[in-house]
Amino acid sequence: MSGGLLTAHAQPAAEPAEVPPPPKRELRAMWIATVENIDWPNQRGETPEQYRREYRRLLDAGQQAGLNAVFVQIRPASDAFYKSNLEPWSRWLTGTQGKAPADGDDPLPFLITEAHRRGMEFHAWFNPYRASMDSVTRRLAPTHPFRQHPEWFLRFTGKLLYNPGLPEVRAHITRVILDVVRRYDIDAVHFDDYFYPYPEAGQVLHDEAAFRTYNPDSLKLGDWRRQNVNILIHDLHDSIQTAKRWVKFGISPFGVWMNKSKDFPQGSDTRAGQPSYSNLYADTRLWLEKGWIDYIVPQLYWSTNFRLCPYPVLVEWWSRNHFDRHLYIGHGTYRMFESTRSDTTWRNPRELPRQIRINRATEGEAVGSVFFSAKSVLRNPLHTTDSLRQDLFRYPALVPAMPWKDNVPPLPVANLTLRRTGPAVTLSWQSGPPAADGDAATYYVLYRFGANERSTPNDPSRILALPRPAPGYPATYVDTTAVPGQAYAYYVTAVDRLHNEGRPMRVISTGLQNVELAVGQSPAGTPRPSAPVSPPVAARPAQPVPSITLPSGESPDKAAPFTKVKIKEKPAKKKGFFGRLFGGRD
């Protein structure tokens, strides 16, 4: 958007009372898999122009479907889709491992910027332990870690894997990830479901030497393996938080933690063959309980009718076991392309909408959906992408906030003005000063209400746009759908990097004159925020998400005159309108 003009789309009609609207806050995302070129790039060895064009096409499809985040696989197998001094370039990018893209291109800044331009978070997806998709070591680049440290690796089912039991391996994985966190503007670090490998009949993982050397507590093998993964997750969480406090850490595990039928009373009422706790040594429930991860995306790739692992049963279990960290659901939308007889419900175009409605019925426990994978969004199987765009995701959604990471909203926008010359209404504003925690606005929410409409921040149908100008640029928005002669109240709020929404500024268009000029003000009764003297976010205890109370409503005829006024900094008797609704600190 880069500070240019943002042209309005048609303003949606008000939501019928009998149809529940989509939530205002919901993560909506897709995985973009690069391993074996599943989603992107289409072929190995493409020019930067080609793979950039293909990536934009995927993001455009996601944006049109209403998505607000992408999970992009940038390290599929101890290789890199970015410039790295620690690991080689990926062969799925250039065709040969270790070979750089043409013209010295580094794709990652482009990948991040294009996502942000479309209002999408960028989650950098790493596979922590996979080192190769085969065991033919002669094809590994000279810069592959295997060349310097073959003792770090295990061979299992024809692949090379890092040995999770070695402290040197954990240190290397952490170093690789922090290198990306520090050098690139990512929003999150993301892991998939591959920890210790999925067991296979007749195959043995030979980590006996590490077990003997690094097991001072004489743990059983399974407990020792889980401890190895726990150490990596815990240390990574702390390291990421120290490097950049706003970068999230999330994991997408196999969908079943443990089956209750295996004498695990805390498990789910399922019969999965490869539970993550016992088979992959990934104690995902513990990570949530300890607060070592910020979100979890269990891969619930089964349908609502699948007998062994029914989708509704697992959504209910995870809703009870995410320990106030964000729960998003991973949907197996790739299964709409399959012809398997094992789960034919996925051939029903109603299945994906049904799953999303089940998520929303958890009353705020499951707060998002991630689709595997991007091709299923781009190709629109069974017209499900159309269903998202036209129905379930028909209004914009903000990513849910994480108060345990940041609960300080940004300060209001500055210099909000409205100009009307003819039918179009042009709004412009600038970022306010940084908040007490140093955060400025990352993007904005622009609401529009009619003269007699109830004003509430909770109805996403009133969101006109989510502008995200380039840093340092003023924001400008052109509302081409304003009806001549009709009065409107526009509200603009600032939102920070972790999606805390600040208090609004309001500006009014009466619509009675062909030429209007109006200056924004705080809504009546809303005090001007003053800089709090609270300690930095990292030192404050996590606060609950502020509750939202519906207002009695305000209409434009109650607004102050369209003149710039100086608001005295004094305590207000009560919080009013959006100030009360959005919460936050005075």
Side-chain angles (χ1 to χ4, degrees), residues 232-525:
L232 176 68
I233 300 302
H234 171 264
D235 291 353
L236 257 178
H237 167 268
D238 289 355
S239 298
I240 293 167
Q241 179 73 14
T242 299
K244 287 183 180 177
R245 62 175 176 82
W246 60 88
V247 174
K248 306 172 183 179
F249 183 28
I251 292 176
S252 176
F254 181 76
V256 175
W257 172 73
M258 265 310 271
N259 298 310
K260 182 188 294 186
S261 59
K262 296 296 183 181
D263 297 323
F264 264 74
Q266 293 175 315
S268 53
D269 190 11
T270 51
R271 287 178 286 164
Q274 301 269 23
S276 65
Y277 178 90
S278 60
N279 287 36
L280 306 179
Y281 307 99
D283 193 353
T284 53
R285 187 177 181 275
L286 177 71
W287 306 340
L288 291 164
E289 185 177 12
K290 296 292 188 181
W292 295 343
I293 56 177
D294 297 304
Y295 67 82
I296 196 152
V297 194
Q299 297 177 19
L300 306 190
Y301 292 171
W302 307 283
S303 76
T304 51
N305 294 323
F306 190 67
R307 185 169 48 88
L308 300 179
C309 304
Y311 182 89
V313 169
L314 281 164
V315 170
E316 190 275 334
W317 186 89
W318 283 104
S319 294
R320 289 187 288 106
N321 287 277
H322 65 95
F323 294 95
D324 295 324
R325 292 302 187 250
H326 282 181
L327 168 62
Y328 316 133
I329 304 299
H331 301 264
T333 48
Y334 72 96
R335 307 202 65 176
M336 290 184 282
F337 296 115
E338 294 183 338
S339 58
T340 177
R341 296 182 180 179
S342 64
D343 198 356
T344 57
T345 303
W346 270 111
R347 300 180 202 171
N348 187 333
R350 295 186 180 90
E351 177 61 15
L352 180 60
R354 182 185 299 125
Q355 292 188 5
I356 294 173
R357 291 188 178 100
I358 289 172
N359 298 354
R360 291 176 178 175
T362 62
E363 298 181 348
E365 300 296 337
V367 291
S369 294
V370 188
F371 307 124
F372 189 84
S373 61
K375 282 183 178 178
S376 62
V377 176
L378 177 67
R379 296 181 182 178
N380 194 20
L382 307 178
H383 297 285
T384 50
T385 306
D386 292 338
S387 178
L388 297 177
R389 177 176 53 83
Q390 297 169 5
D391 182 15
L392 294 161
F393 295 173
R394 63 191 178 277
Y395 303 133
L398 279 66
V399 173
M402 292 182 171
W404 59 90
K405 293 185 73 67
D406 180 3
N407 64 354
V408 179
L411 296 180
V413 303
N415 301 324
L416 173 63
T417 59
L418 178 151
R419 292 179 176 83
R420 185 165 191 162
T421 54
V425 174
T426 301
L427 299 141
S428 60
W429 63 90
Q430 294 174 328
S431 174
D437 61 354
D439 290 351
T442 297
Y443 65 100
Y444 306 93
V445 187
L446 174 58
Y447 302 86
R448 190 183 77 180
F449 300 93
N452 299 315
E453 279 192 283
R454 183 183 182 91
S455 302
T456 169
N458 300 323
D459 181 359
S461 71
R462 298 299 94 200
I463 296 177
L464 199 60
L466 300 173
R468 182 169 178 152
Y473 284 81
T476 304
Y477 187 88
V478 179
D479 181 7
T480 60
T481 64
V483 177
Q486 184 168 334
Y488 294 105
Y490 294 92
Y491 293 83
V492 179
T493 61
V495 187
D496 65 18
R497 184 69 178 260
L498 281 163
H499 309 283
N500 295 296
E501 187 173 20
R503 299 188 178 194
M505 292 294 287
R506 180 185 63 187
V507 67
I508 308 298
S509 169
T510 65
L512 300 178
Q513 299 173 327
N514 287 332
V515 178
E516 289 184 273
L517 176 63
V519 177
Q521 300 174 6
S522 297

Side-chain angles (χ1 to χ4, degrees), residues 114-238:
E114 289 297 311
H116 286 169
R117 283 176 176 169
R118 291 163 177 79
M120 296 176 174
E121 282 194 329
F122 187 94
H123 293 234
W125 169 13
F126 299 81
N127 186 291
Y129 294 123
R130 185 166 60 205
S132 73
M133 293 296 287
D134 56 47
S135 58
V136 184
T137 57
R138 67 175 180 274
R139 287 205 291 258
L140 298 177
T143 53
H144 192 285
F146 178 84
R147 298 297 192 188
Q148 289 77 41
H149 299 284
E151 72 278 7
W152 288 0
F153 298 88
L154 302 169
R155 284 179 167 85
F156 185 76
T157 64
K159 298 180 177 66
L160 279 180
L161 306 172
Y162 281 95
N163 187 343
L166 300 180
E168 301 90 341
V169 163
R170 293 193 291 269
H172 174 73
I173 294 170
T174 301
R175 187 162 54 246
V176 166
I177 292 168
L178 289 182
D179 175 57
V180 172
V181 169
R182 292 186 180 115
R183 291 195 294 124
Y184 297 95
D185 192 26
I186 64 173
D187 298 292
V189 170
H190 180 74
F191 282 0
D192 53 25
D193 55 316
Y194 293 101
F195 294 97
Y196 275 85
Y198 283 90
E200 292 194 19
Q203 300 290 321
V204 178
L205 183 68
H206 290 291
D207 57 351
E208 298 91 347
F211 179 60
R212 289 191 300 268
T213 304
Y214 298 105
N215 186 17
D217 299 325
S218 300
L219 298 174
K220 294 181 180 179
L221 179 62
D223 293 332
W224 175 76
R225 287 177 173 175
R226 274 184 289 274
Q227 177 178 268
N228 295 331
V229 182
N230 290 345
I231 292 171
L232 176 68
I233 300 302
H234 171 264
D235 291 353
L236 257 178
H237 167 268
D238 289 355

